[in-house]
Amino acid sequence: MTATVSVALVTYRRPEQLRTALQSVRNLDHPAPGYDWTTTIVVDNDPDQSAKAVCAEFADLPGFSYRVQDRPGIAAARNLVLDVCGTDFVGFFDDDEEVSPSWLRALTQRQAATGAAAVVGPVEYRYEQPPPAWVTATATWASESPAPDADAGWLTTNNALLQATIAQRLTDGRAAAFDDEFGFDGEDYQLGLRLQRDGFRIAFAPDAAATEWVPPHRTTRQAIIRRLLRDGNIMSRADLSLRRGPAKLLVRARHIVVGAARVGGGLFRGLFRLPRGGLAGAASGARTSLIGAGQMLGAVNVVVSSHRRRA
């Protein structure tokens, strides 16, 4: 039996980048045998419909559909994709990315080989302008890849194939698959934790490559600090969102302790090993400390987001 697949993007006021992303969709190879790409969906999270004109240029893509989600947030927009897709699987990537021609084929091949509920691929980050050396030293924009043939330990929908039927029923009493509590950051990571908790696999497809272009305003000191704080913040908040009763108190305490250890260890590495480790040692220490600080903030219900929407 053939499985149907949608390709989906969520966008917000980035029409030129969206055009580049959709052009890469136009260049996609067919998915693996046994999968049929039937639908292409763009959800515009801008009530002013800033993506509408660009989307009209790509109406020839398979089953193209342009939708508007007035409710702010990535979670709400991704949930709309799941509501309207009508397919067995959805391939997600972001509107500031490009995917390789083999992207969809590689994701579906890996899903066929593993039966995983989700498959993620690598994202290569490229800078629009060369950043300061300390930015690259923090590895803030470094790609994550598990060992060959290993499962991924995370779900990130900036490059993922998700089994829609599983996600749609994995609500746990929530209104939808992607939790609105994580409306702008971490909704995918939290869904991944729920998938793994319930015994579903998240596989990794090394050949399903995507490229994200990082603009200069995301390499400033303030932006890097917020992103690293956010990473730790999502870690603890997502974990706590799955807990109930006394277990939640214990997990909260664990994140505070582990976060504090990261802060202390990072400061030690960054300050006391600076003469020997140089910039790399200092940047690595700062990264660890900031992630730990974000983890502690999340443990006491303080939300840190890297998304600041323009009015």
Side-chain angles (χ1 to χ4, degrees):
M1 183 175 177
T2 300
T4 53
V5 182
S6 297
V7 172
L9 291 118
V10 169
T11 189
Y12 180 76
R13 296 187 182 180
R14 292 198 280 207
E16 292 306 316
Q17 290 165 297
L18 176 64
R19 179 179 284 111
T20 301
L22 286 171
Q23 186 58 54
S24 73
V25 173
R26 181 172 277 163
N27 295 332
L28 282 175
D29 298 334
H30 293 294
Y35 297 81
D36 186 15
W37 172 20
T38 61
T39 309
T40 309
I41 303 168
V42 174
V43 173
D44 193 347
N45 207 202
D46 179 10
D48 294 332
Q49 302 185 22
S50 54
K52 187 173 184 178
V54 169
C55 287
E57 302 171 18
F58 295 89
D60 59 310
L61 289 172
F64 190 84
S65 175
Y66 169 74
R67 304 286 181 134
V68 179
Q69 173 57 279
D70 292 333
R71 186 175 181 180
I74 301 169
R78 295 204 195 285
N79 282 326
L80 180 56
V81 170
L82 293 177
D83 288 343
V84 304
C85 68
T87 54
D88 300 307
F89 293 89
V90 179
F92 284 104
F93 73 104
D94 285 350
D95 63 347
D96 57 350
E97 294 178 339
E98 303 169 54
V99 290
S100 64
S102 62
W103 173 74
L104 189 58
R105 176 176 289 271
L107 287 174
T108 49
Q109 282 178 335
R110 188 65 177 150
Q111 200 286 323
T114 62
V119 183
V120 299
V123 177
E124 179 186 1
Y125 296 98
R126 296 182 183 177
Y127 299 103
E128 291 182 1
Q129 297 177 12
W134 67 266
V135 172
T136 53
T138 63
T140 303
W141 299 102
S143 300
E144 293 185 81
S145 296
D149 297 322
D151 282 355
W154 67 91
L155 174 64
T156 49
T157 45
N158 64 339
N159 183 0
L161 181 74
L162 181 62
Q163 192 163 345
T165 49
I166 290 176
Q168 286 162 336
R169 68 172 185 260
L170 198 72
T171 56
D172 295 344
R174 297 168 174 84
F178 292 103
D179 194 338
D180 270 340
E181 182 183 340
F182 299 84
F184 289 94
D185 274 308
E187 79 293 338
D188 45 4
Y189 179 83
Q190 195 252 16
L191 177 58
L193 290 184
R194 286 154 53 205
L195 286 170
Q196 292 172 318
R197 177 203 61 191
D198 289 359
F200 294 106
R201 291 183 66 180
I202 302 176
F204 184 75
D207 297 326
T211 301
E212 179 175 332
W213 291 94
V214 182
H217 73 265
R218 296 174 73 185
T219 61
T220 64
R221 182 178 291 106
Q222 182 181 18
I224 296 296
I225 289 172
R226 288 193 68 85
R227 185 174 178 89
L228 293 173
L229 285 171
R230 180 211 66 169
D231 288 350
N233 194 252
I234 289 170
M235 185 190 313
S236 54
R237 289 176 52 233
D239 192 8
L240 284 166
S241 73
L242 273 59
R243 313 292 177 162
R244 299 291 183 271
K248 189 167 187 173
L249 294 175
L250 293 174
V251 171
R252 190 185 304 278
R254 177 172 61 82
H255 280 293
I256 291 172
V257 171
V258 173
R262 283 192 166 115
V263 171
L267 287 173
F268 176 82
R269 188 184 314 145
L271 295 176
F272 294 96
R273 295 187 180 180
L274 180 60
R276 184 172 59 184
L279 178 62
S284 175
R287 171 189 171 88
T288 301
S289 291
L290 287 166
I291 290 173
Q295 185 177 1
M296 294 173 69
L297 289 170
V300 294
N301 301 322
V302 176
V303 178
V304 180
S305 175
S306 62
H307 289 277
R308 290 184 171 181
R309 290 202 163 178
R310 303 180 298 276

